[in-house]
Amino acid sequence: MSTLIVGANRGIGLEVTRQLHARGDEVIATYRGSPGGLEGLGVRAVGGVDLTRGEEVARLIEALEGETLECVHVVSGVLEESSLGHLDFEAVRRVFDTNAVGPLRVVEALHRAGLLSRGGRIGLVTSRMGSIADNTSGGSYAYRMSKAALNMAGKSLAEDLREEGIAVALLHPGYVRTDMTGGSGLIDADESAAGLIARMDALTLEASGSFWHMSGEPLPW
């Protein structure tokens, strides 16, 4: 059995990869451009995987031929500022394609190829900024919209995959000090990764389709 981590060359994805590898899991890590911190880590890495490009996702599926994936973490995501009065709709489209459509494209391709193990688990890294109930400050249109859409995709996947014994979790990583946040945040990537791994280890079919903070707190839709 293997664990696939999509978007693993830096930040939270790299820390999830490092911690799972350190405890002895068989890890396959993907990246889009540079391998970054994956170099020398000792995990199997698959490069050139851009979730917005169907042909690159197809090449990932080819590279995974013969694998049985027990766990999938989709960590990839982008953040572009988008405030009222200064909206760049091409940027909104880019963020939506990466954060919402991209993860669905990967999971659908894995499922179609028969690579997901019965009894397996899928973790989609989303954000509490995608929560409608939790939005009291407005702004960040592209990011908020994309993560709300990802939450809906994850909920639908949970229902569609339930009969196959595959559980899905929507996971908020916390406000993490990474390149995406410009180094600002409340926690470091290693703490966030440990929480995400704990949530995935504890994930059951009964809890499939739930929206969780990495700390274990249930989040409102």
Side-chain angles (χ1 to χ4, degrees):
M1 296 286 187
S2 302
T3 294
L4 175 68
I5 304 169
V6 181
N9 60 325
R10 62 179 184 171
I12 299 167
L14 179 60
E15 262 311 316
V16 171
T17 302
R18 181 179 287 120
Q19 292 182 28
L20 290 178
H21 177 62
R23 77 179 192 182
D25 289 18
E26 181 183 345
V27 177
I28 304 168
T30 82
Y31 60 94
R32 183 181 61 178
S34 164
L38 291 173
E39 288 189 314
L41 195 57
V43 302
R44 179 182 169 191
V46 181
V49 180
D50 184 337
L51 303 194
T52 68
R53 297 182 179 273
E55 65 275 16
E56 295 189 9
V57 173
R59 284 200 295 271
L60 170 63
I61 299 304
E62 290 178 5
L64 294 174
E65 184 178 359
E67 292 287 348
T68 301
L69 300 175
E70 184 178 37
C71 190
V72 177
H73 296 253
V74 184
V75 186
S76 298
V78 295
L79 172 65
E80 294 194 40
E81 184 53 44
S82 53
S83 57
L84 191 63
H86 304 280
L87 285 171
D88 177 346
F89 286 97
E90 285 305 311
V92 172
R93 192 187 309 275
R94 285 194 301 271
V95 172
F96 202 91
D97 199 17
T98 299
N99 292 358
V101 180
L104 181 59
R105 181 181 285 115
V106 168
V107 174
E108 196 273 343
L110 294 171
H111 180 255
R112 182 187 295 177
L115 295 171
L116 301 175
S117 169
R118 182 170 187 83
R121 292 157 288 144
I122 298 170
L124 303 177
V125 173
T126 178
S127 172
R128 72 185 307 159
M129 288 184 72
S131 167
I132 294 172
D134 194 55
N135 183 1
T136 59
S137 58
S140 299
Y141 286 85
Y143 193 73
R144 287 188 186 279
M145 289 166 62
S146 70
K147 292 301 187 178
L150 178 58
N151 286 350
M152 181 59 81
K155 176 61 175 173
S156 287
L157 285 169
E159 297 306 320
D160 289 339
L161 294 173
R162 191 177 300 277
E163 290 188 1
E164 298 177 41
I166 298 171
V168 181
L170 289 309
L171 300 171
H172 170 60
Y175 185 26
V176 187
R177 289 183 280 267
T178 63
D179 290 344
M180 179 185 286
T181 62
S184 62
L186 300 176
I187 60 174
D188 291 323
D190 58 345
E191 181 180 351
S192 174
L196 294 174
I197 291 169
R199 302 286 73 72
M200 289 297 287
D201 285 347
L203 180 60
T204 64
L205 201 57
E206 290 71 28
S208 185
S210 297
F211 184 19
W212 302 95
H213 192 289
M214 68 88 185
S215 65
E217 172 195 358
L219 294 175
W221 297 110

